Amino acid sequence: MSPRTSRGAVPDDGSAVAATPAAPAPTAGDASGGGQVHRALAILELLGDPESVGLGGPEGTAVEAPTSFGVVEIARTLGRDKSQVSRLLRLLADAGFVEREAGTLRYRIGTRLFSLGVRAVSKRLRDEADALVEREAALLGERVEVCVRSGGSAMTVSTAAPDSELRAVGWVGRTVPLSCTAGGRALLFDLDTAAIARLIVPEGLTATGPAAPRSLDELVVRIAEDRARGWSLARHEMDRGLLSVGAPVRDAAGRVVAAVTVGGPDSRIDPVLAEVSTGVLRAAADLSVAIGAPGAPPAPPPDHPARPSDQKGRSVVNVFQYFAANSAQILNLTIQHAQFVFYCVAIGSIVSVAIGLVVSTGEPNPNRFSFDWWATGIREGSLLITAAVLTVPSLALFVLFLPITGLGVTTAIIVLTIYTLYTVLRNTVAGLTAVDRAVLESARGLGYGRVRRLLTIQLPLAWPVILNGIRVTTLISISIAVVASIVQGPGLGKLLLTGITRIGAANAFPQVLIGTVMCLVVAAFFEIIFAIVQRLTIPRGIRV
């Protein structure tokens, strides 16, 4: 209730007030049962909202309008007979709709009416939330949830996912901690430090993720930051690699009664964080208005987004807009992708060439047992193992390493490096063993030992073949590196996976197209690098 002063002084007995509004004219229904209902409703409206009948001072004054009234005051304000008002007040008090203050004998709104109102708002909240989450899930291409406070937890009361969802679904009735989730912190927006402590301290801080708040002071600071931003953000707090965004839903009195939240893998949400946060704020504002909060009426729900085939022309136009708005982020992801591929190919090439140099010693002498027998066995076994690994689907291999190395860059580098081994190793072995044996025998006759022959004769002659193997494995790795985004790997896979899993949502097509084009840009960059290296390191006469 806004602060206002009363237009008249209330006497000591709490009865009449001066300068009351004009009494309404009697109606024909006053003599009937309908008239009794109307008079009772008028009394309830006066007790619940005295400003609606003209009581209270101008906006911005320090004194609020009265919250309780005496019988005479009610009768004079409404222009009714005192005995009628007294009888109706007794009936309403017996039913629990009004209460009588023990000290002043004045009447105020009862808890039963408040309870009915809360239940009505709760039912309206659930009904409106169901429609809203369906709409926003289709627009954002992400799972959308509405949650309410339940003790020290946030409980989901409504949830919906896009048709294209390829991941595990949420469920109604699930509870999560208030402290380390975006929806939970949004529910705490209108509480002070003492109120937050009363909710959190009894159950303790649930530090489930690596970035979850570890103390009450840290939690209060994060809530203050979220409140200043207007929406909450939880990154790696509920679990490593997860990101969620939330915004508060307010009722007619301005109290936070629910929160709208969107969450998912950081690699998928972060590239479209601005879009998701805008959608969450829009959804929270629409839901607030729908349950009675002041504000402009929500816009009618847009039609379900057309499928990509139906919006091709519009999507092509959006590609340029999306690239212009996110050019810095796209460039950063492209650089990450190139660096990621370079590191993995470099590690894999060093390992493969080293193995090839050790095991490529020529054919073993059938008449005597020597190191060549062992080298040949290691060579063939290495080729067999790396070839077998290459046949494993990249998606499966990334997932298989999760229990060992977990989410993150480590898993991405290990798996991609493994995929680089076979091609480089095969070309290294082929190049070294293809050197003419007559040349090697001549070097032996000149006194060249095994290592000297390998480094000064075999390796330079085999280098064009080895370099070609590195070039091929680099191009293959550019595409495999995209899959690494499912384990929180770096690079353009974040952009592509976000677009693919949000097909039908805004900006999904631009994300897929731009991610694909930037992969081609990375491939062209490496092709130029290899052309320069080939020209500088390989004599013209032996270039392949």
Side-chain angles (χ1 to χ4, degrees):
M1 184 182 297
S2 5
R4 297 191 180 183
T5 55
S6 176
R7 292 183 180 173
V10 180
D12 294 337
D13 61 357
S15 56
V17 294
T20 58
T27 62
D30 285 352
S32 63
Q36 293 275 21
V37 172
H38 292 156
R39 286 192 292 273
L41 292 175
I43 292 173
L44 292 175
E45 185 175 5
L46 172 63
L47 295 177
D49 188 12
E51 297 173 358
S52 65
V53 294
L55 296 181
E59 291 286 349
T61 55
V63 181
E64 294 187 353
T67 57
S68 60
F69 297 84
V71 174
V72 176
E73 187 178 0
I74 295 173
R76 182 168 298 185
T77 302
L78 299 179
R80 300 296 180 185
D81 182 71
K82 176 182 174 183
S83 60
Q84 289 181 341
V85 172
S86 180
R87 285 196 301 272
L88 287 173
L89 284 170
R90 284 198 299 270
L91 291 173
L92 292 172
D94 291 341
F97 293 120
V98 299
E99 296 174 347
R100 196 172 189 183
E101 296 178 349
T104 63
L105 302 182
R106 294 162 67 86
Y107 288 90
R108 64 188 179 193
I109 285 291
T111 56
R112 183 178 179 189
L113 189 62
F114 176 77
S115 176
L116 289 174
V118 169
R119 286 201 293 270
V121 171
S122 179
K123 177 67 166 58
R124 181 73 179 271
L125 173 65
R126 290 194 299 269
D127 293 343
E128 295 291 341
D130 289 342
L132 179 133
V133 294
E134 291 285 349
R135 184 192 81 189
E136 293 300 326
L139 288 173
L140 297 175
E142 296 291 345
R143 172 167 292 279
V144 181
E145 296 183 357
V146 173
C147 58
V148 297
R149 202 168 68 210
S150 176
S153 302
M155 181 177 69
T156 300
V157 296
S158 184
T159 179
D163 295 337
S164 60
E165 184 176 77
L166 303 176
R167 50 199 178 274
V169 299
W171 57 91
V172 172
R174 178 187 62 170
T175 58
V176 294
L178 290 172
S179 59
C180 58
T181 56
R185 288 214 292 270
L187 291 169
L188 302 176
F189 268 22
D190 59 353
L191 300 184
D192 57 18
T193 302
I196 294 172
R198 286 195 295 271
L199 278 174
I200 301 300
V201 171
E203 298 186 15
L205 288 171
T206 307
T208 57
R214 295 302 198 269
S215 67
L216 182 62
D217 291 340
E218 186 179 355
L219 173 61
V220 170
V221 169
R222 294 194 188 184
I223 293 174
E225 293 172 350
D226 292 339
R227 191 186 294 120
R229 190 191 301 118
W231 50 275
S232 54
L233 176 68
R235 191 191 300 267
H236 307 297
E237 295 187 29
M238 187 63 185
D239 200 355
R240 183 182 299 277
L242 293 183
L243 185 152
S244 60
V245 177
V249 176
R250 299 182 181 273
D251 62 8
R255 295 183 297 265
V256 175
V257 295
V260 178
T261 180
V262 171
D266 185 17
S267 60
R268 190 176 68 243
I269 302 293
D270 189 60
V272 290
L273 182 58
E275 176 190 342
V276 170
S277 60
T278 300
V280 168
L281 285 171
R282 177 186 63 241
D286 288 353
L287 186 55
S288 297
V289 173
I291 63 173
D303 295 333
H304 193 284
R307 295 300 178 192
S309 59
D310 300 330
Q311 53 180 2
K312 185 183 301 182
R314 186 179 65 184
S315 296
V316 172
V317 174
N318 288 344
V319 168
F320 300 101
Q321 298 174 348
Y322 182 84
F323 184 83
N326 300 275
S327 56
Q329 183 185 48
I330 293 170
L331 178 61
N332 182 49
L333 291 175
T334 304
I335 294 174
Q336 284 184 15
H337 201 84
Q339 291 175 334
F340 176 37
V341 171
F342 173 77
Y343 293 145
C344 293
V345 171
I347 296 171
S349 298
I350 292 172
V351 173
S352 298
V353 172
I355 294 175
L357 290 173
V358 171
V359 300
S360 297
T361 59
E363 294 298 325
N365 189 336
N367 298 321
R368 62 187 181 89
F369 187 80
S370 65
F371 173 76
D372 291 341
W373 285 95
W374 291 103
T376 301
I378 295 173
R379 180 183 67 198
E380 297 303 324
S382 300
L383 289 172
L384 180 63
I385 293 173
T386 54
V389 171
L390 193 63
T391 63
V392 178
S394 56
L395 181 64
L397 194 59
F398 279 111
V399 173
L400 288 174
F401 268 82
L402 282 180
I404 304 172
T405 53
L407 289 171
V409 177
T410 302
T411 299
I413 290 178
I414 291 175
V415 174
L416 188 59
T417 301
I418 290 174
Y419 275 112
T420 66
L421 296 176
Y422 176 75
T423 306
V424 180
L425 179 59
R426 167 62 70 182
N427 278 41
T428 301
V429 171
L432 292 174
T433 56
V435 176
D436 191 346
R437 295 189 62 82
V439 175
L440 297 178
E441 290 299 327
S442 299
R444 187 199 299 267
L446 294 173
Y448 281 43
R450 181 191 298 270
V451 175
R452 188 179 179 187
R453 290 198 307 271
L454 188 64
L455 297 179
T456 60
I457 297 177
Q458 284 183 278
L459 184 58
L461 292 176
W463 176 242
V465 180
I466 296 173
L467 185 62
N468 190 57
I470 297 174
R471 171 179 166 271
V472 171
T473 200
T474 300
L475 298 180
I476 295 174
S477 298
I478 291 172
S479 60
I480 297 178
V482 171
V483 186
S485 62
I486 66 168
V487 293
Q488 308 299 318
L492 291 165
K494 295 180 180 180
L495 195 63
L496 282 162
L497 185 63
T498 300
I500 291 171
T501 56
R502 300 173 66 249
I503 286 296
N507 293 330
F509 178 77
Q511 289 167 346
V512 174
L513 182 59
I514 291 174
T516 303
V517 171
M518 297 313 292
C519 283
L520 296 176
V521 170
V522 173
F525 169 77
F526 278 112
E527 280 288 279
I528 295 172
I529 295 299
F530 278 112
I532 296 173
V533 171
Q534 184 181 34
R535 192 171 189 85
L536 295 176
T537 61
I538 302 177
R540 182 179 301 177
I542 61 173
R543 290 178 188 168
V544 293

